[in-house]
Amino acid sequence: MSDSVTIDPRTAPEACGSMAEVRQGVDALDRALVQLLAERQRYMDAAARIKPDRSVVHDDARIEDVVAKVLAAAGPAGLSPAIAEPVWRTLIDRCIAHEFGVWDRTRG
């Protein structure tokens, strides 16, 4: 079980009256996203440890499933699919590359 991600205090986007407030909010969220992405990466480490064969590291059906779930969550959250889909496809691509690297270092 992991700790909750802490997001530093910030002004809500709708209440920002200056670029300093906007930047403070973006920086706070970026720090929280780094924590979440690091945890996601640790799941890729676990996948490399658990998957029985290197050939199953890249799974097209799983990629499309993840993207579909992200797009389904993006709309209600107010995240543009034009941002969500390419960001997650890049994230997935980089996570697969990381998983291959872990596999090769630890099991190859």
Side-chain angles (χ1 to χ4, degrees):
M1 189 152 137
S2 66
D3 297 330
S4 296
V5 172
T6 301
I7 304 175
D8 296 336
R10 66 210 175 279
T11 303
E14 301 78 15
C16 287
S18 70
M19 283 308 299
E21 289 174 322
V22 168
R23 290 178 180 135
Q24 179 185 26
V26 168
D27 291 348
L29 292 172
D30 285 346
R31 286 187 292 274
L33 286 168
V34 166
Q35 291 177 49
L36 289 168
L37 290 171
E39 182 175 353
R40 192 181 198 286
Q41 179 181 302
R42 291 192 301 276
Y43 281 106
M44 298 306 96
D45 296 341
R49 175 176 46 80
I50 293 167
K51 287 182 180 174
D53 190 85
R54 191 180 193 277
S55 66
V56 298
V57 169
H58 186 275
D59 181 345
D60 286 326
R62 175 63 179 152
I63 291 168
E64 295 310 314
D65 179 56
V66 169
V67 171
K69 288 174 182 173
V70 165
L71 290 174
L79 176 61
S80 167
I83 293 173
E85 185 166 357
V87 166
W88 257 267
R89 287 196 183 275
T90 300
L91 175 61
I92 292 165
D93 179 67
R94 297 291 71 221
C95 285
I96 291 169
H98 175 80
E99 189 179 334
F100 273 125
V102 171
W103 175 277
D104 291 343
R105 282 192 310 278
T106 60
R107 298 180 69 181

